[in-house]
Amino acid sequence: MGRMILNNALRTIVNAERRGKATVELQPISTVMSSFLKIMKNRGYIKDFQVFDPHRVGKITVQLQGRVNDCRALTYRQDVKAKDIEEYKMQKLPTRQWGYVVITTPEGVLDHEEAVKRNVGGQVLGYFH
């Protein structure tokens, strides 16, 4: 259920980017979605996001930048070891130059570069490029 919420939110972002929108509202929200968006913001794929009323139904307003080509969440469970992250990245991302795989680890939600640096594995949440 939670992964479907994340997948719907990410597809909404991609559709808004393709239509040239400046902002998009995501609803319902989750803490995993906030963590995913924080990684996208830190890597420069979105400008900013704001969470409104996180304890109830809530919504997130995302300011888009025009850099997201594709963004997907895996709806199935995919475990990946720390040593296999680079291989997984090569399979899922279209090129080696850009894009990030987002992984939930015991140390929190991280992108693939941070997970390799910390030498931790986990479950793949999704990817963006």
Side-chain angles (χ1 to χ4, degrees):
M1 182 69 180
R3 290 183 186 248
M4 289 302 292
I5 291 172
L6 179 63
N7 193 33
N8 290 341
L10 296 179
R11 298 312 305 162
T12 302
I13 289 173
V14 170
N15 290 339
E17 286 271 12
R18 288 184 179 158
R19 296 198 57 170
K21 305 265 180 162
T23 62
V24 65
E25 286 189 1
L26 307 175
Q27 205 174 10
I29 65 171
S30 68
T31 55
V32 173
M33 187 187 309
S34 298
S35 301
F36 200 102
L37 291 173
K38 193 179 296 182
I39 291 173
M40 289 180 77
K41 179 184 173 192
N42 291 343
R43 296 301 180 177
Y45 281 79
I46 60 174
K47 286 182 187 172
D48 198 14
F49 69 96
Q50 293 178 328
V51 180
F52 297 103
D53 200 14
H55 300 294
R56 298 190 42 120
V57 175
K59 68 178 179 180
I60 297 177
T61 303
V62 181
Q63 296 176 0
L64 302 175
Q65 195 163 312
R67 285 195 58 200
V68 178
N69 294 325
D70 194 15
C71 193
R72 294 187 187 229
L74 298 184
T75 55
Y76 55 91
R77 181 179 169 151
Q78 178 70 45
D79 295 329
V80 64
K81 297 178 183 174
K83 63 181 181 177
D84 299 333
I85 291 175
E86 285 297 323
E87 181 181 325
Y88 185 84
K89 182 189 88 153
M90 297 292 183
Q91 291 175 356
K92 290 295 177 186
L93 296 178
T95 66
R96 296 180 186 168
Q97 287 126 356
W98 66 83
Y100 295 93
V101 176
V102 180
I103 304 167
T104 179
T105 68
E107 297 184 13
V109 179
L110 306 171
D111 61 37
H112 70 272
E113 290 179 354
E114 195 66 31
V116 168
K117 199 180 298 180
R118 295 185 188 184
N119 196 26
V120 293
Q123 292 182 3
V124 177
L125 282 177
Y127 58 90
F128 61 92
H129 58 87

